[in-house]
Amino acid sequence: MEEMLKTLPQHTCSWSKGKITFYKYQDFWTLQELVVGAHLAQQSFKAEPTDIFLCTSTKTGTTWVKSLAFAIVTRQKFDDSTTPLLTKNAHECVPSLEYELDIVDDNRKNSSLPLVATHLPYPSLPKSVIASNCKIVYVYRNTKDVIVSHYHFLRKVFNVANEDAPFEEAFEEFCQGISGYGPYWDHIIGYWKASLERPDRILLLKYEDLKKDPTSNAKKLAEFMGYPFSTEEEKAGVIEKITTLCSFENMSNLEVNKTGSIRVGGLENKHYFRKAEDGDWRTYFTNEMKEKIDKLIDEKLNGTGLILK
Ligand code: A3P
């Protein structure tokens, strides 16, 4: 593994004061330990047809979709006053393929939870994920808010003070495709194209749509995963209870999410909750930045049929 790492292109983020180095593995950029995790998962993970993959690039709503999917799938076992989501961060409830392969395997054997999360781009998923024909949910978000969220998340995790980290430099790097699991547009295009080929197995959800209408999107998610809400549940307001439980307002105020850490890498749970605003980019972008990223995204998506507003 060490030899393989040495052969990979590397990029140290200028704005991070040398604290963050991305490696290019296959066609995406990520941190060193996650290259190792991706490689191991690709070598050994055996997907089952009953698995449900929650796929996202970073900062696009991973924590949210993990909570929603977990609450939906386990609702016969737990309600909104007994769910583990009240005492464990969503990342602990739904393990990630490239950080905690052993827990993913244990979970599938011992607790029959079918949910597995990953940030891997579609072409880099372990071959068995595609071969097993299991279901895949993909959540994406508007690029500009992802850029801002990504910058703040890395800054906090790597302890780089705001005043020491020029946002403009982070923006430029993102535009060059250098970001967690980036290029971001390639990540989306990979899942988008796959969803056109296999619409019954791949569901795309947009962060902004989830925000605008959590109820119908949670319903869509439940149906797709094979856990549809019954008419009685709908009448009893079960969907709304789940969306309220998983809302940013509720989740970010839970003690576990204010004070705890995730089990891998010791990242503090609070870093997964910032503002959750649609359009926060307006505070950070100049007109030139807006024009640059809009043009870039238009060029990258040209001919795909995908529109990212
Ligand atoms: P901001 O940085 O814009 O606030 P991820 O979970 O993929 O790491 O994404 C993190 C982003 O999702 C952060 O965005 C975070 O605030 C937001 N987020 C976390 N939990 C959320 C929830 N329950 N509902 C909506 N957004 C949420």
Side-chain angles (χ1 to χ4, degrees):
M1 201 60 97
E2 267 172 38
E3 288 308 308
M4 188 265 278
L5 282 169
K6 277 187 211 152
T7 65
L8 301 181
Q10 295 178 28
H11 176 89
T12 299
C13 302
S14 57
W15 61 272
S16 75
K17 302 282 164 280
K19 289 184 179 176
I20 304 172
T21 298
F22 282 114
Y23 286 70
K24 192 164 195 190
Y25 175 63
Q26 297 172 347
D27 286 326
F28 65 94
W29 291 94
T30 193
L31 303 173
Q32 180 175 318
E33 53 279 26
L34 303 177
V35 171
V36 176
H39 187 72
L40 288 176
Q42 289 169 342
Q43 299 292 304
S44 63
F45 181 72
K46 297 276 171 288
E48 304 283 344
T50 47
D51 288 335
I52 301 170
F53 266 76
L54 305 179
C55 303
T56 51
S57 185
T58 57
K59 314 326 290 170
T60 61
T62 317
T63 318
W64 195 9
V65 73
K66 280 187 179 189
S67 322
L68 281 169
F70 183 86
I72 291 169
V73 165
T74 61
R75 70 184 187 275
Q76 305 300 346
K77 229 170 162 180
F78 309 112
D79 63 25
D80 56 351
S81 65
T82 57
T83 176
L85 286 165
L86 297 174
T87 50
K88 290 181 183 177
N89 175 274
H91 298 281
E92 207 166 320
C93 294
V94 180
S96 299
L97 187 66
E98 60 274 36
Y99 315 149
E100 20 188 38
L101 192 52
D102 48 339
I103 302 173
V104 169
D105 282 336
D106 265 12
N107 246 2
R108 290 148 91 237
K109 269 189 225 125
N110 303 325
S111 71
S112 65
L113 184 75
L115 304 172
V116 183
T118 184
H119 285 316
L120 289 175
Y122 188 79
S124 291
L125 289 172
K127 294 281 170 282
S128 66
V129 176
I130 320 264
S132 70
N133 207 24
C134 66
K135 290 181 183 167
I136 293 178
V137 177
Y138 183 69
V139 180
Y140 63 110
R141 185 180 187 187
N142 87 72
T143 317
K144 299 188 198 85
D145 282 334
V146 172
I147 297 177
V148 173
S149 186
H150 183 263
Y151 162 77
H152 283 299
F153 181 73
L154 287 183
R155 208 178 48 63
K156 287 182 207 154
V157 170
F158 285 89
N159 222 349
V160 190
N162 213 347
E163 54 279 15
D164 290 343
F167 175 70
E168 304 68 32
E169 288 178 23
F171 170 84
E172 287 303 328
E173 272 171 3
F174 200 103
C175 291
Q176 287 163 30
I178 305 168
S179 61
Y181 297 89
Y184 179 57
W185 42 89
D186 285 350
H187 206 281
I188 303 181
I189 292 170
Y191 282 94
W192 161 256
K193 285 192 175 156
S195 78
L196 297 179
E197 283 159 23
R198 305 167 58 213
D200 55 325
R201 308 313 284 171
I202 305 181
L203 172 73
L204 262 58
L205 292 176
K206 205 169 167 189
Y207 180 93
E208 290 76 17
D209 291 343
L210 266 165
K211 267 196 96 76
K212 247 183 257 151
D213 187 355
T215 306
S216 22
N217 281 286
K219 202 171 153 186
K220 204 195 268 183
L221 174 61
E223 266 161 28
F224 175 78
M225 293 194 298
Y227 294 80
F229 292 104
S230 64
T231 317
E232 292 71 34
E233 283 182 309
E234 283 200 38
K235 278 191 196 142
V238 175
I239 311 182
E240 286 76 12
K241 278 189 186 160
I242 288 179
T243 54
T244 305
L245 166 78
C246 298
S247 67
F248 179 78
E249 291 66 32
N250 189 49
M251 284 287 154
S252 59
N253 281 308
L254 293 175
E255 205 48 34
V256 61
N257 290 327
K258 288 200 278 194
T259 57
S261 300
I262 63 164
R263 58 192 157 200
V264 179
L267 290 192
E268 291 181 73
N269 293 342
K270 65 179 183 201
H271 294 331
Y272 289 96
F273 303 90
R274 197 181 59 92
K275 285 191 182 171
E277 273 175 16
D278 177 7
D280 186 38
W281 62 269
R282 289 192 175 83
T283 321
Y284 295 86
F285 279 49
T286 58
N287 277 342
E288 291 71 36
M289 284 172 165
K290 179 190 176 297
E291 274 164 28
K292 178 167 178 168
I293 194 74
D294 282 348
K295 186 162 173 271
L296 183 69
I297 294 295
D298 278 354
E299 279 166 17
K300 298 291 179 186
L301 299 189
N302 189 18
T304 63
L306 175 63
I307 296 170
L308 254 189
K309 288 215 173 115

